[in-house]
Amino acid sequence: MSANTYYSAEQHGDFEVYDLGDFVLEGGATLRNAELAYTTYGELNEQGDNAILFPVMFSGTHAAMAPYVGEGLALDPSQYFIVIPNQLGGGLSTSPHNYYGPYHARHFPELSIGDDVRAQHQLLESLGVKQLQMVTGWSMGAQQTYEWAVRYPDMVKRAAPIGGTAKTTSHCSLFVDVFCEALKSDPAWSKGDYDSSSEVQEGLRRMGHVFAMMGVSREFYNQNVWQEFGFSSYEDFLTGLWENWFLPMDPNNLLCMAKKWRQGDVSRHFDGNLTQALASITAKVSVVSFEKDMFITAADCKLEQQMISGSELISIPSLWGHFTMLGVNPDDFKLIDNTLKKILAQAV
Amino acid sequence: MSANTYYSAEQHGDFEVYDLGDFVLEGGATLRNAELAYTTYGELNEQGDNAILFPVMFSGTHAAMAPYVGEGLALDPSQYFIVIPNQLGGGLSTSPHNYYGPYHARHFPELSIGDDVRAQHQLLESLGVKQLQMVTGWSMGAQQTYEWAVRYPDMVKRAAPIGGTAKTTSHCSLFVDVFCEALKSDPAWSKGDYDSSSEVQEGLRRMGHVFAMMGVSREFYNQNVWQEFGFSSYEDFLTGLWENWFLPMDPNNLLCMAKKWRQGDVSRHFDGNLTQALASITAKVSVVSFEKDMFITAADCKLEQQMISGSELISIPSLWGHFTMLGVNPDDFKLIDNTLKKILAQAV
């Protein structure tokens, strides 16, 4: 397999690598010499309690979330020690495409959201973090946020899952299945035995189209909202945003993350009882949903929020739907930043 | 290409065939000796004005709509002369798979909703129909309903488009593109040059999954509603309903219909002005939408309904979403039948 230069500091900005050692996965396999890629911003205080953890979404790296970090923003590095961990399987951490040996590529073991969160916990311990002022993340980042709140209640003061659920819904699983199938439909995928991502470009493009259909609101298409964001046509929006997003990525990495997403479920800590799992959370939880989200709907988010005592629900109305979080619309970005400011300002 | 026994009276019940002669399509090609398959119920009265036209949806035949016809139902053959025309390209009428010669299979010309409606108009003239008490149809049947109301205003007293639009929305076009792409992703499709449908079964199954994702409501999955309808699991619902539906069908037929669907637009009669096109309708229009429809949403239907003077909007709340019309749930069937009864009872 040829090297994929997409997964590099040149493309995503500098990052650190934490050595996880021989990391035993929930599924039973051991990732020997596993590595967790991450970035930090700001300084940890002496008490080790001014940290914020900001895990990332499906197909994303720290680069996608980094714009939310900056002076004057909610995630202000002059005030907080902010850690953005990349996903295992995400391409910069140990992942199918960069992990050589018997677990290489299509032989990479199945991961869980819990694996990510345990790896992050090891990292934070090594950095001296004692308490998290907030865990927040979007989509699969929200899954990790919920996992943190359930698994390490003592460490998490505030949890703000954004456009994501504690347990993947059945309909959302179908969405994951459909986009994985679109990718795997490409004969060049060869059950993961391709030589380079570019060979699988038809599958990656098809996957992009499924995301296009579900990723933003219907109104985004029906009212030609793409015009406001530098796209010259409907076709240009499909190619310029969605195909462009997935084309450089490694199919095995994407499928690895997708499987994690589909299985995401904090209730496994409570024998499948989601009510008990969510009731166990001690953090102040602010559930942020996107009103026009089509695969992790505001209704899905609300159902879970109602099971968390003392929690609040915040709904953001943008026509960008699930992908509001990309902040392509500066107004959306401001709204999300302001939301995070309010959440951080709450006494807990 | 081997014969496809799915497209037969054995599978769909008896039907008549009307000889359209050399039928010139809107796109310019001529279908020589074209045939329109149809069924009728009841008797036409002497004035020729007790007729109801009930065109069919994508991938459907008269068999799918026939349950709505019967004594005591809205579409009562003791009172009305009811005509269910099959779509051109739908498999029983002249279609890619059964039309031999230079336009066979993948060489079949592009059709339009207008072609269907003109063919139906010829048929009705030959049957002696002077006036339609109602045109009603679901999904692509609704597209034909709108086309009738705009093209032949003098003949249509009532128009009841159900879960369909006069102009396909941009988001719905994307849905059509995605399911067509799922079908065409199968290498066995060979740009339409397969020998039998069964060779393309992987593509047909994938297409079924896209329909599964968008065809019923999210709640249908998230609340395991499939349990109430004889499916033993989520997987069984996917295979037993959605794959089973598409597997016997001919891919070229499906793609032919899909293209018609995507291009559906009554505004082409008014230089692209949809407002004018809908304002031209003289029939009493009752727009019926499904509250949980994900690809032809209640909001889409309402937008058009508001452009039609004297029209009404009826919204049906079933968790079956777009596929409420299948009437799998007897309560939905009754609700739709009662809705049609009310529409027919209105003086116009």
Side-chain angles (χ1 to χ4, degrees):
Chain A
M1 181 170 291
S2 55
N4 187 328
T5 56
Y6 173 74
Y7 298 109
S8 63
E10 286 69 40
Q11 289 290 322
H12 297 277
D14 287 339
F15 56 90
E16 311 286 319
V17 172
Y18 173 69
D19 183 0
L20 288 164
D22 293 349
F23 190 73
V24 180
L25 301 174
E26 287 188 349
T30 299
L31 285 182
R32 290 173 181 81
N33 302 309
E35 294 183 334
L36 182 63
Y38 69 100
T39 51
T40 68
Y41 307 82
E43 304 289 335
L44 187 65
N45 64 13
E46 234 169 88
Q47 301 82 346
D49 68 357
N50 69 331
I52 289 175
L53 185 71
F54 191 20
V56 303
M57 79 290 193
F58 174 78
S59 81
T61 71
H62 61 276
M65 294 297 100
Y68 282 99
V69 180
E71 267 193 63
L73 300 176
L75 306 186
D76 192 331
S78 71
Q79 193 177 352
Y80 298 107
F81 177 61
I82 300 145
V83 182
I84 309 188
N86 283 275
Q87 283 192 43
L88 297 171
L92 299 180
S93 300
T94 292
S95 302
H97 91 287
N98 66 14
Y99 191 59
Y100 295 94
Y103 287 124
H104 180 54
R106 71 187 174 94
H107 302 280
F108 201 77
E110 194 171 317
L111 302 178
S112 71
I113 298 288
D115 291 326
D116 277 294
V117 166
R118 286 185 305 116
Q120 292 160 16
H121 187 255
Q122 268 186 236
L123 166 67
L124 293 190
E125 280 200 326
S126 81
L127 294 170
V129 172
K130 304 278 181 243
Q131 192 154 54
L132 291 160
Q133 288 300 318
M134 176 167 73
V135 184
T136 185
W138 168 46
S139 203
M140 282 188 77
Q143 292 185 297
Q144 295 165 69
T145 300
Y146 274 117
E147 180 77 15
W148 263 97
V150 170
R151 192 182 270 267
Y152 303 114
D154 293 346
M155 268 186 82
V156 183
K157 288 185 78 171
R158 298 174 187 83
I162 304 173
T165 50
K167 177 177 178 167
T168 301
T169 66
S170 186
H171 185 262
C172 188
S173 296
L174 180 52
F175 169 63
V176 174
D177 289 344
V178 166
F179 77 68
C180 287
E181 196 162 62
L183 173 53
K184 295 191 286 185
S185 71
D186 190 337
W189 173 61
S190 304
K191 300 195 173 172
D193 230 354
Y194 50 85
D195 190 52
S196 101
S197 298
S198 61
E199 291 172 18
V200 196
Q201 64 163 299
E202 289 309 317
L204 290 160
R205 287 178 197 270
R206 277 177 211 143
M207 177 174 158
H209 300 164
V210 178
F211 264 88
M213 180 171 74
M214 301 288 279
V216 297
S217 66
R218 294 176 197 92
E219 293 88 340
F220 198 92
Y221 294 98
N222 295 346
Q223 299 167 15
N224 298 341
V225 177
W226 41 261
Q227 280 181 336
E228 298 167 30
F229 299 98
F231 298 97
S232 51
S233 63
Y234 161 86
E235 290 77 13
D236 185 52
F237 179 64
L238 291 195
T239 305
L241 191 144
W242 299 100
E243 296 181 20
N244 183 56
W245 179 263
F246 290 111
L247 270 174
M249 298 183 188
D250 182 80
N252 286 327
N253 289 358
L254 290 169
L255 293 167
C256 171
M257 282 182 277
K259 205 154 196 180
K260 250 197 281 184
W261 175 355
R262 196 187 192 287
Q263 314 284 80
D265 181 6
V266 298
S267 81
R268 73 196 189 293
H269 297 295
F270 288 81
D271 281 335
N273 189 324
L274 185 63
T275 311
Q276 277 183 21
L278 293 176
S280 77
I281 296 176
T282 55
K284 164 77 182 169
V285 177
S286 304
V287 172
V288 182
S289 65
F290 298 118
E291 209 180 277
K292 302 277 185 186
D293 196 320
M294 292 214 273
F295 55 87
I296 298 169
T297 67
D300 297 332
C301 296
K302 188 178 177 181
L303 274 177
E304 292 184 343
Q305 180 265 326
Q306 288 171 333
M307 294 189 234
I308 306 168
S309 70
S311 65
E312 62 174 340
L313 181 70
I314 299 155
S315 189
I316 291 180
S318 165
L319 296 185
W320 275 89
H322 188 75
F323 282 80
T324 301
M325 189 72 183
L326 285 185
V328 181
N329 183 340
D331 293 340
D332 292 342
F333 181 88
K334 257 184 234 160
L335 198 52
I336 292 166
D337 181 55
N338 281 334
T339 299
L340 291 174
K341 277 183 178 143
K342 277 181 207 156
I343 293 168
L344 281 166
Q346 287 173 345
V348 285
Chain B
M1 184 169 288
S2 54
N4 186 328
T5 55
Y6 173 74
Y7 298 109
S8 63
E10 285 68 41
Q11 289 290 322
H12 297 278
D14 287 339
F15 57 89
E16 312 285 319
V17 172
Y18 173 69
D19 182 0
L20 288 163
D22 293 350
F23 189 72
V24 181
L25 301 173
E26 287 188 350
T30 298
L31 285 183
R32 289 171 184 82
N33 301 311
E35 294 181 336
L36 181 61
Y38 69 99
T39 50
T40 68
Y41 306 81
E43 303 289 333
L44 186 65
N45 64 13
E46 233 169 88
Q47 301 82 347
D49 67 358
N50 70 329
I52 288 175
L53 186 72
F54 192 20
V56 304
M57 79 290 194
F58 175 77
S59 80
T61 69
H62 60 276
M65 295 296 102
Y68 282 99
V69 180
E71 268 192 63
L73 299 176
L75 307 186
D76 191 331
S78 70
Q79 194 180 351
Y80 297 107
F81 178 61
I82 299 144
V83 182
I84 307 186
N86 282 276
Q87 283 192 43
L88 296 170
L92 300 180
S93 301
T94 293
S95 300
H97 91 287
N98 66 12
Y99 191 60
Y100 293 94
Y103 287 124
H104 181 54
R106 72 185 173 94
H107 302 281
F108 200 78
E110 193 170 317
L111 302 178
S112 71
I113 298 288
D115 291 327
D116 278 295
V117 167
R118 286 186 306 113
Q120 292 160 16
H121 187 255
Q122 267 185 237
L123 167 67
L124 294 190
E125 279 200 326
S126 81
L127 294 171
V129 172
K130 305 278 180 242
Q131 192 155 55
L132 291 160
Q133 288 300 319
M134 177 166 73
V135 184
T136 186
W138 167 47
S139 204
M140 284 188 76
Q143 292 185 298
Q144 296 165 68
T145 301
Y146 275 117
E147 180 79 13
W148 263 96
V150 170
R151 192 184 270 266
Y152 303 115
D154 293 346
M155 266 185 82
V156 183
K157 287 186 80 173
R158 298 175 187 80
I162 303 172
T165 50
K167 178 176 177 168
T168 301
T169 66
S170 186
H171 184 261
C172 187
S173 296
L174 180 52
F175 168 64
V176 174
D177 288 345
V178 166
F179 77 68
C180 287
E181 198 162 61
L183 174 54
K184 296 193 285 188
S185 70
D186 190 337
W189 173 63
S190 305
K191 300 194 174 172
D193 231 355
Y194 49 86
D195 189 54
S196 99
S197 298
S198 61
E199 290 172 17
V200 196
Q201 64 164 297
E202 289 308 318
L204 289 161
R205 286 178 197 271
R206 278 176 209 143
M207 176 172 161
H209 301 165
V210 177
F211 264 89
M213 181 172 73
M214 301 288 277
V216 297
S217 67
R218 292 176 198 91
E219 293 88 340
F220 198 92
Y221 294 99
N222 295 347
Q223 299 166 16
N224 298 341
V225 178
W226 41 260
Q227 281 181 336
E228 299 167 28
F229 298 99
F231 298 97
S232 51
S233 63
Y234 161 86
E235 291 76 15
D236 184 52
F237 180 64
L238 292 195
T239 304
L241 192 144
W242 299 102
E243 297 181 19
N244 183 54
W245 180 264
F246 290 111
L247 270 175
M249 297 184 190
D250 182 81
N252 286 326
N253 289 358
L254 291 168
L255 293 167
C256 170
M257 282 183 277
K259 205 155 197 179
K260 252 197 280 184
W261 174 355
R262 196 186 192 287
Q263 314 284 80
D265 182 5
V266 298
S267 81
R268 73 196 189 292
H269 297 296
F270 288 81
D271 281 335
N273 190 321
L274 185 62
T275 312
Q276 277 183 22
L278 294 176
S280 78
I281 295 175
T282 55
K284 165 72 181 171
V285 177
S286 304
V287 172
V288 183
S289 66
F290 298 118
E291 211 180 275
K292 301 278 186 186
D293 195 321
M294 292 215 272
F295 56 86
I296 299 171
T297 66
D300 298 332
C301 296
K302 188 177 178 181
L303 275 177
E304 293 185 341
Q305 181 265 325
Q306 288 170 333
M307 296 188 232
I308 305 168
S309 69
S311 65
E312 63 175 339
L313 182 70
I314 298 154
S315 190
I316 290 179
S318 166
L319 296 184
W320 274 89
H322 187 73
F323 282 81
T324 301
M325 189 70 181
L326 285 186
V328 180
N329 183 340
D331 293 342
D332 292 341
F333 181 88
K334 259 184 231 159
L335 198 52
I336 292 167
D337 181 56
N338 281 334
T339 299
L340 292 174
K341 277 182 179 145
K342 277 182 205 152
I343 292 168
L344 280 166
Q346 287 173 344
V348 285

